[in-house]
Amino acid sequence: MVKPLRKAVLPVAGLGTRFLPATKAMPKEMLPVVDKPLIQYAVDEARAAGIEQFCMVTGRGKTALIDHFDIAFELEATLAERNKREALDLLREEAMPPGSISTVRQQVPLGLGHAIWCARTFIGDDPFAILLPDDLVLSETPCTAQLVKVYNETGGNVVAVSEVPKEHTNRYGILKTGAVEGDRVEVTGLVEKPAPENAPSNLSIIGRYVLLPEVVTYLSRMERGAGNEVQLTDAMAKMIGHAPFHGLKFEGKRFDCGDKAGFLEAQIAFALARPDLGPAVRAFLKNYVNA
Ligand code: UTP
């Protein structure tokens, strides 16, 4: 019987330099895809997987992310007064139970591994999910729920993986793989950003993880890896052999919204998937693709 997964860490302390000037005074994770900020997609996905407790790892200039999950009292009162039922219902559906979101501060962005280590008190002795809000997944079953299903069967660590072009392995955490069973891959090694000629495979980790709390022990060593950052991948690699470790070739399509082209593609894909917008977007796109 595995310990149930109830916690998620959302690292949002990055600088978002690739989206300047949009991210000068606004966090990258508040950028909307269609009409919902990236952070809200991550929280909704986690809640759909049974997660109840959240920890946002924030930094300077990230207050809007915290405010986003507060009650907009005046706005709600005005909407009620004007009988804007739909808008009001939308806000209320998304309201978080009191006390379910905590925040910790990463004063200096020293890397994703360091950001996770900052959440160590929240993590305690429990397994936890990590969702990087700038990775969006469009799928039938929410990606984190797919990971939790595997975790409930295998225990240990489970990461979402997808194939990348061999020449792009130096952008991602890459798996060395053992036994393959359908969509599940045994992880026998992990390397952060290997050059294509040294990459053990073309399977990359995307921003969805279920990890055991032991990873914090390895992160505490503060060893610097690729880019002189404290890399989560390096700490995860140290758990291999001590507990089950699987990669899941998840169902769905992942969009890297930390990158401009990926973000624009996500806008189109998510808009096309929406019954209220899809037909209009499909119609106007024709004016551009043949130009
Ligand atoms: P990115 O590599 O996308 O970095 O981080 P970034 O700073 O957000 O964006 P660019 O590259 O400057 O444009 C991946 C995730 O890890 C978080 C980010 O907030 C993002 O969710 N992160 C990264 C931290 O929380 N702390 C860090 O020190 C580094």
Side-chain angles (χ1 to χ4, degrees):
M1 193 39 197
V2 298
K3 223 172 174 181
L5 189 86
R6 296 283 177 259
K7 293 182 176 177
V9 177
L10 305 166
V12 292
L15 298 176
T17 51
R18 284 170 292 168
F19 267 95
L20 283 168
T23 48
K24 192 176 165 202
M26 181 184 74
K28 171 172 78 172
E29 299 78 8
M30 281 305 291
L31 291 172
V33 167
V34 185
D35 51 8
K36 201 157 88 165
L38 290 170
I39 189 73
Q40 182 81 54
Y41 283 97
V43 167
D44 290 351
E45 182 184 316
R47 290 179 86 185
I51 285 164
E52 294 162 352
Q53 299 168 46
F54 294 86
C55 179
M56 274 200 261
V57 183
T58 69
R60 268 188 300 282
K62 301 281 181 171
T63 325
L65 288 163
I66 302 163
D67 288 343
H68 179 74
F69 291 100
D70 215 338
I71 290 178
F73 187 76
E74 286 175 9
L75 175 63
E76 288 195 15
T78 311
L79 291 174
E81 205 179 291
R82 297 189 184 170
N83 215 11
K84 302 256 182 207
R85 291 283 358 145
E86 249 178 67
L88 200 53
D89 289 347
L90 186 84
L91 291 184
R92 292 197 173 149
E93 260 166 40
E94 291 188 335
M96 299 292 284
S100 56
I101 300 190
S102 48
T103 62
V104 294
R105 200 88 168 171
Q106 185 194 25
Q107 290 90 339
V108 186
L110 296 177
L112 179 58
H114 182 262
I116 302 303
W117 177 79
C118 289
R120 62 197 178 281
T121 309
F122 168 82
I123 296 166
D125 294 327
D126 296 315
F128 64 104
I130 302 172
L131 293 93
L132 304 189
D134 48 9
D135 261 345
L136 261 195
V137 182
L138 188 58
S139 55
E140 289 283 322
T141 307
C143 186
T144 302
Q146 296 181 47
L147 294 186
V148 170
K149 184 167 180 282
V150 177
Y151 166 78
N152 286 339
E153 289 170 27
T154 63
N157 302 291
V158 189
V159 292
V161 299
S162 67
E163 286 177 9
V164 294
K166 191 85 182 168
E167 62 272 23
H168 291 168
T169 56
N170 56 0
R171 299 181 189 174
Y172 304 102
I174 301 289
L175 266 61
K176 183 167 180 231
T177 59
V180 180
E181 229 190 288
D183 52 6
R184 285 177 209 182
V185 186
E186 186 196 359
V187 180
T188 57
L190 286 169
V191 200
E192 185 63 32
K193 302 187 173 62
E197 59 276 21
N198 301 326
S201 75
N202 68 338
L203 273 187
S204 108
I205 305 177
I206 70 147
R208 297 290 183 277
Y209 314 69
V210 172
L211 298 180
L212 295 177
E214 284 75 20
V215 73
V216 172
T217 312
Y218 298 110
L219 288 170
S220 317
R221 297 179 186 170
M222 293 297 146
E223 290 168 10
R224 301 292 181 115
N228 199 31
E229 291 190 345
V230 180
Q231 294 288 355
L232 178 61
T233 306
D234 297 343
M236 291 194 307
K238 299 209 170 77
M239 292 195 285
I240 296 169
H242 300 296
F245 206 137
H246 292 93
L248 173 71
K249 292 185 189 171
F250 60 98
E251 166 274 312
K253 181 161 169 51
R254 170 251 190 180
F255 299 90
D256 178 2
C257 293
D259 168 81
K260 286 179 196 115
F263 179 69
L264 290 173
E265 191 183 349
Q267 301 285 359
I268 305 287
F270 276 74
L272 288 174
R274 287 256 300 245
D276 59 336
L277 279 172
V281 174
R282 195 165 284 109
F284 77 59
L285 275 179
K286 290 191 188 120
N287 301 336
Y288 296 90
V289 285
N290 297 326

PDB file of all heavy atoms in Angstrom, residues 211-240:
ATOM      1  N   LEU A 211       7.335  12.416  -6.733  1.00  0.00           N
ATOM      2  CA  LEU A 211       8.619  12.053  -6.130  1.00  0.00           C
ATOM      3  C   LEU A 211       8.473  11.678  -4.658  1.00  0.00           C
ATOM      4  O   LEU A 211       7.567  12.148  -3.961  1.00  0.00           O
ATOM      5  CB  LEU A 211       9.612  13.218  -6.232  1.00  0.00           C
ATOM      6  CG  LEU A 211      10.007  13.674  -7.641  1.00  0.00           C
ATOM      7  CD1 LEU A 211      10.995  14.830  -7.555  1.00  0.00           C
ATOM      8  CD2 LEU A 211      10.595  12.523  -8.466  1.00  0.00           C
ATOM      9  N   LEU A 212       9.406  10.843  -4.211  1.00  0.00           N
ATOM     10  CA  LEU A 212       9.473  10.502  -2.797  1.00  0.00           C
ATOM     11  C   LEU A 212      10.204  11.631  -2.052  1.00  0.00           C
ATOM     12  O   LEU A 212      11.066  12.304  -2.631  1.00  0.00           O
ATOM     13  CB  LEU A 212      10.241   9.187  -2.620  1.00  0.00           C
ATOM     14  CG  LEU A 212       9.560   7.952  -3.243  1.00  0.00           C
ATOM     15  CD1 LEU A 212      10.447   6.725  -3.059  1.00  0.00           C
ATOM     16  CD2 LEU A 212       8.182   7.711  -2.636  1.00  0.00           C
ATOM     17  N   PRO A 213       9.898  11.801  -0.758  1.00  0.00           N
ATOM     18  CA  PRO A 213      10.502  12.925  -0.012  1.00  0.00           C
ATOM     19  C   PRO A 213      12.020  12.805   0.122  1.00  0.00           C
ATOM     20  O   PRO A 213      12.689  13.806   0.397  1.00  0.00           O
ATOM     21  CB  PRO A 213       9.817  12.854   1.354  1.00  0.00           C
ATOM     22  CG  PRO A 213       9.267  11.468   1.462  1.00  0.00           C
ATOM     23  CD  PRO A 213       8.955  11.023   0.067  1.00  0.00           C
ATOM     24  N   GLU A 214      12.552  11.597  -0.081  1.00  0.00           N
ATOM     25  CA  GLU A 214      14.015  11.389   0.061  1.00  0.00           C
ATOM     26  C   GLU A 214      14.806  12.304  -0.871  1.00  0.00           C
ATOM     27  O   GLU A 214      15.977  12.590  -0.636  1.00  0.00           O
ATOM     28  CB  GLU A 214      14.398   9.933  -0.237  1.00  0.00           C
ATOM     29  CG  GLU A 214      14.066   8.960   0.886  1.00  0.00           C
ATOM     30  CD  GLU A 214      12.571   8.644   0.991  1.00  0.00           C
ATOM     31  OE1 GLU A 214      11.836   8.847   0.005  1.00  0.00           O
ATOM     32  OE2 GLU A 214      12.151   8.219   2.085  1.00  0.00           O
ATOM     33  N   VAL A 215      14.179  12.778  -1.954  1.00  0.00           N
ATOM     34  CA  VAL A 215      14.914  13.626  -2.899  1.00  0.00           C
ATOM     35  C   VAL A 215      15.472  14.872  -2.194  1.00  0.00           C
ATOM     36  O   VAL A 215      16.525  15.393  -2.565  1.00  0.00           O
ATOM     37  CB  VAL A 215      14.026  14.001  -4.119  1.00  0.00           C
ATOM     38  CG1 VAL A 215      12.954  15.021  -3.765  1.00  0.00           C
ATOM     39  CG2 VAL A 215      14.868  14.494  -5.276  1.00  0.00           C
ATOM     40  N   VAL A 216      14.778  15.309  -1.145  1.00  0.00           N
ATOM     41  CA  VAL A 216      15.212  16.511  -0.412  1.00  0.00           C
ATOM     42  C   VAL A 216      16.591  16.297   0.229  1.00  0.00           C
ATOM     43  O   VAL A 216      17.418  17.209   0.259  1.00  0.00           O
ATOM     44  CB  VAL A 216      14.147  16.904   0.647  1.00  0.00           C
ATOM     45  CG1 VAL A 216      14.646  18.025   1.546  1.00  0.00           C
ATOM     46  CG2 VAL A 216      12.845  17.309  -0.028  1.00  0.00           C
ATOM     47  N   THR A 217      16.821  15.073   0.719  1.00  0.00           N
ATOM     48  CA  THR A 217      18.125  14.759   1.328  1.00  0.00           C
ATOM     49  C   THR A 217      19.236  14.988   0.316  1.00  0.00           C
ATOM     50  O   THR A 217      20.280  15.564   0.636  1.00  0.00           O
ATOM     51  CB  THR A 217      18.150  13.274   1.763  1.00  0.00           C
ATOM     52  OG1 THR A 217      16.955  13.010   2.478  1.00  0.00           O
ATOM     53  CG2 THR A 217      19.357  12.941   2.610  1.00  0.00           C
ATOM     54  N   TYR A 218      19.026  14.534  -0.907  1.00  0.00           N
ATOM     55  CA  TYR A 218      20.060  14.699  -1.939  1.00  0.00           C
ATOM     56  C   TYR A 218      20.188  16.163  -2.358  1.00  0.00           C
ATOM     57  O   TYR A 218      21.279  16.640  -2.636  1.00  0.00           O
ATOM     58  CB  TYR A 218      19.760  13.802  -3.144  1.00  0.00           C
ATOM     59  CG  TYR A 218      19.777  12.333  -2.760  1.00  0.00           C
ATOM     60  CD1 TYR A 218      18.600  11.588  -2.731  1.00  0.00           C
ATOM     61  CD2 TYR A 218      20.965  11.718  -2.383  1.00  0.00           C
ATOM     62  CE1 TYR A 218      18.615  10.259  -2.345  1.00  0.00           C
ATOM     63  CE2 TYR A 218      20.988  10.382  -1.997  1.00  0.00           C
ATOM     64  CZ  TYR A 218      19.815   9.659  -1.982  1.00  0.00           C
ATOM     65  OH  TYR A 218      19.832   8.349  -1.590  1.00  0.00           O
ATOM     66  N   LEU A 219      19.045  16.860  -2.381  1.00  0.00           N
ATOM     67  CA  LEU A 219      19.094  18.285  -2.747  1.00  0.00           C
ATOM     68  C   LEU A 219      19.861  19.088  -1.709  1.00  0.00           C
ATOM     69  O   LEU A 219      20.534  20.072  -2.047  1.00  0.00           O
ATOM     70  CB  LEU A 219      17.671  18.847  -2.889  1.00  0.00           C
ATOM     71  CG  LEU A 219      16.886  18.389  -4.120  1.00  0.00           C
ATOM     72  CD1 LEU A 219      15.426  18.820  -4.017  1.00  0.00           C
ATOM     73  CD2 LEU A 219      17.510  18.940  -5.407  1.00  0.00           C
ATOM     74  N   SER A 220      19.793  18.659  -0.447  1.00  0.00           N
ATOM     75  CA  SER A 220      20.456  19.413   0.639  1.00  0.00           C
ATOM     76  C   SER A 220      21.951  19.518   0.424  1.00  0.00           C
ATOM     77  O   SER A 220      22.600  20.397   0.991  1.00  0.00           O
ATOM     78  CB  SER A 220      20.263  18.753   2.002  1.00  0.00           C
ATOM     79  OG  SER A 220      18.975  18.334   2.163  1.00  0.00           O
ATOM     80  N   ARG A 221      22.515  18.624  -0.381  1.00  0.00           N
ATOM     81  CA  ARG A 221      23.969  18.688  -0.617  1.00  0.00           C
ATOM     82  C   ARG A 221      24.361  19.896  -1.465  1.00  0.00           C
ATOM     83  O   ARG A 221      25.525  20.247  -1.547  1.00  0.00           O
ATOM     84  CB  ARG A 221      24.434  17.413  -1.322  1.00  0.00           C
ATOM     85  CG  ARG A 221      24.211  16.175  -0.468  1.00  0.00           C
ATOM     86  CD  ARG A 221      24.668  14.949  -1.244  1.00  0.00           C
ATOM     87  NE  ARG A 221      24.347  13.717  -0.544  1.00  0.00           N
ATOM     88  CZ  ARG A 221      24.459  12.511  -1.073  1.00  0.00           C
ATOM     89  NH1 ARG A 221      24.885  12.373  -2.318  1.00  0.00           N
ATOM     90  NH2 ARG A 221      24.142  11.446  -0.380  1.00  0.00           N
ATOM     91  N   MET A 222      23.341  20.497  -2.120  1.00  0.00           N
ATOM     92  CA  MET A 222      23.573  21.732  -2.909  1.00  0.00           C
ATOM     93  C   MET A 222      24.659  21.578  -3.969  1.00  0.00           C
ATOM     94  O   MET A 222      25.408  22.517  -4.248  1.00  0.00           O
ATOM     95  CB  MET A 222      23.926  22.922  -1.991  1.00  0.00           C
ATOM     96  CG  MET A 222      22.792  23.365  -1.116  1.00  0.00           C
ATOM     97  SD  MET A 222      21.432  23.959  -2.125  1.00  0.00           S
ATOM     98  CE  MET A 222      20.041  23.433  -1.137  1.00  0.00           C
ATOM     99  N   GLU A 223      24.750  20.388  -4.539  1.00  0.00           N
ATOM    100  CA  GLU A 223      25.748  20.191  -5.601  1.00  0.00           C
ATOM    101  C   GLU A 223      25.282  20.903  -6.853  1.00  0.00           C
ATOM    102  O   GLU A 223      24.108  20.806  -7.234  1.00  0.00           O
ATOM    103  CB  GLU A 223      25.926  18.687  -5.867  1.00  0.00           C
ATOM    104  CG  GLU A 223      26.635  17.981  -4.717  1.00  0.00           C
ATOM    105  CD  GLU A 223      26.559  16.463  -4.814  1.00  0.00           C
ATOM    106  OE1 GLU A 223      26.125  15.943  -5.865  1.00  0.00           O
ATOM    107  OE2 GLU A 223      26.912  15.805  -3.817  1.00  0.00           O
ATOM    108  N   ARG A 224      26.183  21.636  -7.495  1.00  0.00           N
ATOM    109  CA  ARG A 224      25.839  22.363  -8.721  1.00  0.00           C
ATOM    110  C   ARG A 224      26.010  21.438  -9.923  1.00  0.00           C
ATOM    111  O   ARG A 224      26.971  20.671  -9.982  1.00  0.00           O
ATOM    112  CB  ARG A 224      26.740  23.587  -8.892  1.00  0.00           C
ATOM    113  CG  ARG A 224      26.672  24.581  -7.744  1.00  0.00           C
ATOM    114  CD  ARG A 224      25.313  25.259  -7.695  1.00  0.00           C
ATOM    115  NE  ARG A 224      25.272  26.238  -6.609  1.00  0.00           N
ATOM    116  CZ  ARG A 224      25.133  27.540  -6.808  1.00  0.00           C
ATOM    117  NH1 ARG A 224      24.986  28.026  -8.024  1.00  0.00           N
ATOM    118  NH2 ARG A 224      25.076  28.372  -5.791  1.00  0.00           N
ATOM    119  N   GLY A 225      25.081  21.544 -10.878  1.00  0.00           N
ATOM    120  CA  GLY A 225      25.162  20.734 -12.090  1.00  0.00           C
ATOM    121  C   GLY A 225      25.176  21.610 -13.324  1.00  0.00           C
ATOM    122  O   GLY A 225      25.771  22.704 -13.308  1.00  0.00           O
ATOM    123  N   ALA A 226      24.486  21.162 -14.376  1.00  0.00           N
ATOM    124  CA  ALA A 226      24.447  21.904 -15.644  1.00  0.00           C
ATOM    125  C   ALA A 226      24.078  23.362 -15.384  1.00  0.00           C
ATOM    126  O   ALA A 226      23.207  23.653 -14.554  1.00  0.00           O
ATOM    127  CB  ALA A 226      23.433  21.254 -16.582  1.00  0.00           C
ATOM    128  N   GLY A 227      24.749  24.285 -16.081  1.00  0.00           N
ATOM    129  CA  GLY A 227      24.465  25.721 -15.951  1.00  0.00           C
ATOM    130  C   GLY A 227      24.813  26.259 -14.577  1.00  0.00           C
ATOM    131  O   GLY A 227      24.332  27.318 -14.177  1.00  0.00           O
ATOM    132  N   ASN A 228      25.609  25.503 -13.796  1.00  0.00           N
ATOM    133  CA  ASN A 228      25.985  25.873 -12.430  1.00  0.00           C
ATOM    134  C   ASN A 228      24.756  26.030 -11.516  1.00  0.00           C
ATOM    135  O   ASN A 228      24.784  26.764 -10.538  1.00  0.00           O
ATOM    136  CB  ASN A 228      26.837  27.156 -12.424  1.00  0.00           C
ATOM    137  CG  ASN A 228      27.615  27.302 -11.113  1.00  0.00           C
ATOM    138  OD1 ASN A 228      27.986  26.288 -10.511  1.00  0.00           O
ATOM    139  ND2 ASN A 228      27.816  28.533 -10.657  1.00  0.00           N
ATOM    140  N   GLU A 229      23.654  25.323 -11.856  1.00  0.00           N
ATOM    141  CA  GLU A 229      22.442  25.395 -11.034  1.00  0.00           C
ATOM    142  C   GLU A 229      22.306  24.106 -10.206  1.00  0.00           C
ATOM    143  O   GLU A 229      22.861  23.062 -10.579  1.00  0.00           O
ATOM    144  CB  GLU A 229      21.209  25.532 -11.940  1.00  0.00           C
ATOM    145  CG  GLU A 229      21.153  26.873 -12.647  1.00  0.00           C
ATOM    146  CD  GLU A 229      19.810  27.097 -13.345  1.00  0.00           C
ATOM    147  OE1 GLU A 229      19.044  26.146 -13.527  1.00  0.00           O
ATOM    148  OE2 GLU A 229      19.556  28.256 -13.699  1.00  0.00           O
ATOM    149  N   VAL A 230      21.552  24.193  -9.108  1.00  0.00           N
ATOM    150  CA  VAL A 230      21.230  22.988  -8.339  1.00  0.00           C
ATOM    151  C   VAL A 230      20.115  22.282  -9.111  1.00  0.00           C
ATOM    152  O   VAL A 230      18.984  22.775  -9.178  1.00  0.00           O
ATOM    153  CB  VAL A 230      20.778  23.348  -6.900  1.00  0.00           C
ATOM    154  CG1 VAL A 230      20.452  22.089  -6.114  1.00  0.00           C
ATOM    155  CG2 VAL A 230      21.853  24.174  -6.195  1.00  0.00           C
ATOM    156  N   GLN A 231      20.469  21.165  -9.731  1.00  0.00           N
ATOM    157  CA  GLN A 231      19.549  20.510 -10.666  1.00  0.00           C
ATOM    158  C   GLN A 231      18.721  19.425  -9.972  1.00  0.00           C
ATOM    159  O   GLN A 231      19.272  18.533  -9.307  1.00  0.00           O
ATOM    160  CB  GLN A 231      20.338  19.874 -11.829  1.00  0.00           C
ATOM    161  CG  GLN A 231      21.037  20.890 -12.716  1.00  0.00           C
ATOM    162  CD  GLN A 231      20.053  21.677 -13.595  1.00  0.00           C
ATOM    163  OE1 GLN A 231      18.853  21.407 -13.623  1.00  0.00           O
ATOM    164  NE2 GLN A 231      20.582  22.657 -14.312  1.00  0.00           N
ATOM    165  N   LEU A 232      17.408  19.485 -10.174  1.00  0.00           N
ATOM    166  CA  LEU A 232      16.519  18.449  -9.635  1.00  0.00           C
ATOM    167  C   LEU A 232      16.874  17.085 -10.236  1.00  0.00           C
ATOM    168  O   LEU A 232      16.874  16.069  -9.545  1.00  0.00           O
ATOM    169  CB  LEU A 232      15.060  18.823  -9.971  1.00  0.00           C
ATOM    170  CG  LEU A 232      13.996  17.836  -9.522  1.00  0.00           C
ATOM    171  CD1 LEU A 232      13.987  17.668  -8.008  1.00  0.00           C
ATOM    172  CD2 LEU A 232      12.609  18.263 -10.007  1.00  0.00           C
ATOM    173  N   THR A 233      17.185  17.091 -11.533  1.00  0.00           N
ATOM    174  CA  THR A 233      17.496  15.830 -12.219  1.00  0.00           C
ATOM    175  C   THR A 233      18.641  15.098 -11.523  1.00  0.00           C
ATOM    176  O   THR A 233      18.588  13.866 -11.359  1.00  0.00           O
ATOM    177  CB  THR A 233      17.879  16.114 -13.693  1.00  0.00           C
ATOM    178  OG1 THR A 233      16.828  16.871 -14.270  1.00  0.00           O
ATOM    179  CG2 THR A 233      18.078  14.842 -14.490  1.00  0.00           C
ATOM    180  N   ASP A 234      19.676  15.824 -11.115  1.00  0.00           N
ATOM    181  CA  ASP A 234      20.834  15.185 -10.480  1.00  0.00           C
ATOM    182  C   ASP A 234      20.434  14.532  -9.149  1.00  0.00           C
ATOM    183  O   ASP A 234      20.884  13.435  -8.829  1.00  0.00           O
ATOM    184  CB  ASP A 234      21.956  16.214 -10.240  1.00  0.00           C
ATOM    185  CG  ASP A 234      22.483  16.783 -11.554  1.00  0.00           C
ATOM    186  OD1 ASP A 234      22.229  16.176 -12.609  1.00  0.00           O
ATOM    187  OD2 ASP A 234      23.140  17.849 -11.523  1.00  0.00           O
ATOM    188  N   ALA A 235      19.589  15.208  -8.377  1.00  0.00           N
ATOM    189  CA  ALA A 235      19.144  14.636  -7.098  1.00  0.00           C
ATOM    190  C   ALA A 235      18.254  13.422  -7.347  1.00  0.00           C
ATOM    191  O   ALA A 235      18.340  12.408  -6.640  1.00  0.00           O
ATOM    192  CB  ALA A 235      18.391  15.690  -6.288  1.00  0.00           C
ATOM    193  N   MET A 236      17.410  13.488  -8.376  1.00  0.00           N
ATOM    194  CA  MET A 236      16.544  12.338  -8.695  1.00  0.00           C
ATOM    195  C   MET A 236      17.385  11.142  -9.096  1.00  0.00           C
ATOM    196  O   MET A 236      17.081  10.010  -8.750  1.00  0.00           O
ATOM    197  CB  MET A 236      15.585  12.695  -9.834  1.00  0.00           C
ATOM    198  CG  MET A 236      14.538  13.718  -9.435  1.00  0.00           C
ATOM    199  SD  MET A 236      13.188  13.850 -10.627  1.00  0.00           S
ATOM    200  CE  MET A 236      14.029  14.120 -12.138  1.00  0.00           C
ATOM    201  N   ALA A 237      18.462  11.404  -9.832  1.00  0.00           N
ATOM    202  CA  ALA A 237      19.327  10.308 -10.317  1.00  0.00           C
ATOM    203  C   ALA A 237      19.884   9.514  -9.138  1.00  0.00           C
ATOM    204  O   ALA A 237      20.080   8.307  -9.234  1.00  0.00           O
ATOM    205  CB  ALA A 237      20.454  10.873 -11.168  1.00  0.00           C
ATOM    206  N   LYS A 238      20.085  10.184  -8.016  1.00  0.00           N
ATOM    207  CA  LYS A 238      20.676   9.509  -6.839  1.00  0.00           C
ATOM    208  C   LYS A 238      19.676   8.541  -6.186  1.00  0.00           C
ATOM    209  O   LYS A 238      20.068   7.694  -5.383  1.00  0.00           O
ATOM    210  CB  LYS A 238      21.142  10.551  -5.835  1.00  0.00           C
ATOM    211  CG  LYS A 238      22.228  11.465  -6.426  1.00  0.00           C
ATOM    212  CD  LYS A 238      23.159  11.996  -5.386  1.00  0.00           C
ATOM    213  CE  LYS A 238      24.358  12.695  -5.995  1.00  0.00           C
ATOM    214  NZ  LYS A 238      24.090  14.054  -6.506  1.00  0.00           N
ATOM    215  N   MET A 239      18.392   8.671  -6.524  1.00  0.00           N
ATOM    216  CA  MET A 239      17.393   7.765  -5.917  1.00  0.00           C
ATOM    217  C   MET A 239      17.253   6.463  -6.701  1.00  0.00           C
ATOM    218  O   MET A 239      16.628   5.521  -6.228  1.00  0.00           O
ATOM    219  CB  MET A 239      16.031   8.469  -5.837  1.00  0.00           C
ATOM    220  CG  MET A 239      16.012   9.624  -4.851  1.00  0.00           C
ATOM    221  SD  MET A 239      14.340  10.138  -4.459  1.00  0.00           S
ATOM    222  CE  MET A 239      13.904  11.001  -5.952  1.00  0.00           C
ATOM    223  N   ILE A 240      17.832   6.435  -7.901  1.00  0.00           N
ATOM    224  CA  ILE A 240      17.706   5.233  -8.741  1.00  0.00           C
ATOM    225  C   ILE A 240      18.389   4.061  -8.027  1.00  0.00           C
ATOM    226  O   ILE A 240      19.503   4.194  -7.532  1.00  0.00           O
ATOM    227  CB  ILE A 240      18.315   5.478 -10.153  1.00  0.00           C
ATOM    228  CG1 ILE A 240      17.524   6.571 -10.871  1.00  0.00           C
ATOM    229  CG2 ILE A 240      18.356   4.195 -10.963  1.00  0.00           C
ATOM    230  CD1 ILE A 240      18.168   7.078 -12.137  1.00  0.00           C
TER     231      ILE A 240
END
